[in-house]
């Protein structure tokens, strides 16, 4: 490849690193073109999957301010640049790797922090963003109901005591009359 082509490739990969909120580095040795196409299709909503040259990727990562990928850039490498939900992309990669053991997750980067392969798997085990938001909303709603009950409990109790006293007074006046 000519020098300008390499510079353009480095600039493109560095741009992808900057645009994405996460990147997952994989080894794709042993996968067919059809399997790679299937993987790209499964990640299409949350990530783009690109086969990369290790030396150019290392240079691009440094340009983008990412220093943690150098150790994992050995052998045939491909990167999933995540622009959507990182959990969904990690789940897609994990599930594809289960179905196709030739895909090996090497590690990654999430918001500038290095991730090991085990941490990518833990990320995939998280519930989706929507489920977590629904649980948080449910917890907040429950706390609001508890607060509303606490605020109304004492006045309601006072009203019941006053009503009981009023009825007792009426009964004692009726007996006295």
């Amino acid at each position: 490849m000519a020098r300008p082509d390499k510079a353009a490739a480095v600039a493109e990969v560095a741009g992808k690193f900057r645009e994405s909120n996460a990147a997952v580095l994989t080894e794709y040795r042993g996968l067919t073109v059809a399997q790679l196409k299937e993987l790209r299709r499964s990640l299409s909503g949350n990530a783009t999957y690109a086969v990369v040259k290790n030396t150019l990727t290392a240079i691009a990562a440094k340009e983008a301010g990412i220093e943690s990928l150098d150790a994992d850039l050995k052998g045939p490498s491909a990167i999933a640049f995540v622009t959507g939900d990182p959990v969904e992309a990690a789940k897609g990669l994990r599930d594809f790797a289960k179905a196709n053991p030739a895909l090996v997750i090497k590690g990654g980067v999430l918001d500038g922090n290095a991730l090991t392969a085990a941490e990518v798997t833990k990320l995939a085990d998280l519930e989706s963003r929507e489920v977590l938001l629904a649980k948080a909303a449910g917890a907040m709603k429950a706390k609001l109901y508890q607060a509303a009950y606490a605020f109304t409990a004492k006045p309601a109790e006072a009203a019941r005591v006053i009503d009981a006293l009023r009825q007792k007074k009426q009964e004692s006046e009726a007996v006295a009359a």
Side-chain angles (χ1 to χ4, degrees):
M1 219 191 288
R3 197 81 190 140
D5 292 343
K6 288 183 181 181
V10 167
E12 181 183 350
V13 173
K16 286 183 179 181
F17 273 120
R18 286 187 198 100
E19 292 168 4
S20 61
N21 54 0
V24 180
L25 187 65
T26 63
E27 182 177 321
Y28 64 93
R29 185 184 324 211
L31 291 177
T32 66
V33 172
Q35 289 171 323
L36 286 173
K37 188 175 182 180
E38 179 186 339
L39 175 59
R40 283 187 176 104
R41 197 172 323 122
S42 70
L43 295 174
S44 65
N46 295 309
T48 57
Y49 191 73
V51 175
V52 294
K53 288 189 174 262
N54 292 340
T55 53
L56 299 180
T57 302
I59 295 168
K62 285 179 183 165
E63 280 185 18
I66 299 170
E67 302 288 332
S68 58
L69 290 179
D70 290 345
D72 293 328
L73 287 171
K74 293 177 179 71
S77 298
I79 299 178
F81 294 101
V82 182
T83 53
D85 186 9
V87 174
E88 290 299 318
K91 282 182 184 184
L93 286 167
R94 180 201 57 197
D95 294 345
F96 189 85
K98 281 182 182 176
N100 302 285
L103 181 73
V104 177
I105 298 173
K106 295 181 182 181
V109 177
L110 176 63
D111 294 328
N113 299 319
L115 296 174
T116 64
E119 290 171 331
V120 173
T121 303
K122 284 182 186 177
L123 183 65
D125 292 338
L126 289 176
E127 293 175 328
S128 71
R129 182 178 186 272
E130 289 77 21
V131 171
L132 292 174
L133 287 173
K135 285 184 175 183
M140 284 188 250
K141 185 177 178 182
K143 290 296 179 188
L144 287 174
Y145 279 124
Q146 288 174 351
Y149 176 76
F151 289 134
T152 59
K154 290 297 179 187
E157 184 181 334
R160 284 192 297 273
V161 168
I162 292 170
D163 189 48
L165 288 173
R166 182 185 53 79
Q167 286 177 357
K168 188 174 179 183
K169 183 179 177 185
Q170 286 175 350
E171 288 174 7
S172 64
E173 288 176 354
V175 171

